[in-house]
Amino acid sequence: MNIEQLRDYCLSKKETTEDFPFDENVLVFKVLGKIFALVPLDAWEQGKASVNLKCDPEYSETLRSDYSSIRPGFHMNKKHWNTVYIHEGELSSEFILHLIDHSHEMVVKTMPKKVRDTLI
């Protein structure tokens, strides 16, 4: 998976925007203003592609025990965020897309029902 594929997939989700709210290095994807993915661009440029994704805490534990390339979120709440080290090549593109979907769903499910219904 390359950065354009990841970017295009994130932006294909309804009401998703991209932004650089922290600095010019961290690309952030938000659904209606709520973050669901963070991409450190300098790491991608160095060949160390990764993405931080929100995750259900129980599912996080399972993922971290099953995959060495999924670890507690770097500079994030370790209970709710994972860093997925794409460059390690352990995970298929399809599985990474599933993890992006899960992160997006985790954020959307906290929104009011009326808003959630517009995103489905």
Side-chain angles (χ1 to χ4, degrees), residues 27-92:
L27 175 59
V28 173
F29 294 96
K30 299 177 182 179
V31 55
L32 294 174
K34 303 285 185 181
I35 297 172
F36 71 92
L38 298 97
V39 182
L41 296 179
D42 62 342
W44 282 75
E45 290 170 1
Q46 297 168 12
K48 297 179 180 176
S50 68
V51 60
N52 282 9
L53 298 169
K54 192 158 191 158
C55 191
D56 173 79
E58 289 181 24
Y59 189 37
S60 280
E61 292 299 320
T62 301
L63 291 171
R64 293 172 192 171
S65 67
D66 290 349
Y67 301 98
S68 63
S69 58
I70 299 177
R71 300 180 202 126
F74 184 70
H75 287 305
M76 305 295 286
N77 179 316
K78 309 291 187 230
K79 182 176 179 180
H80 297 280
W81 288 86
N82 288 324
T83 299
V84 178
Y85 293 91
I86 297 169
H87 73 279
E88 293 182 4
E90 178 182 24
L91 308 172
S92 69

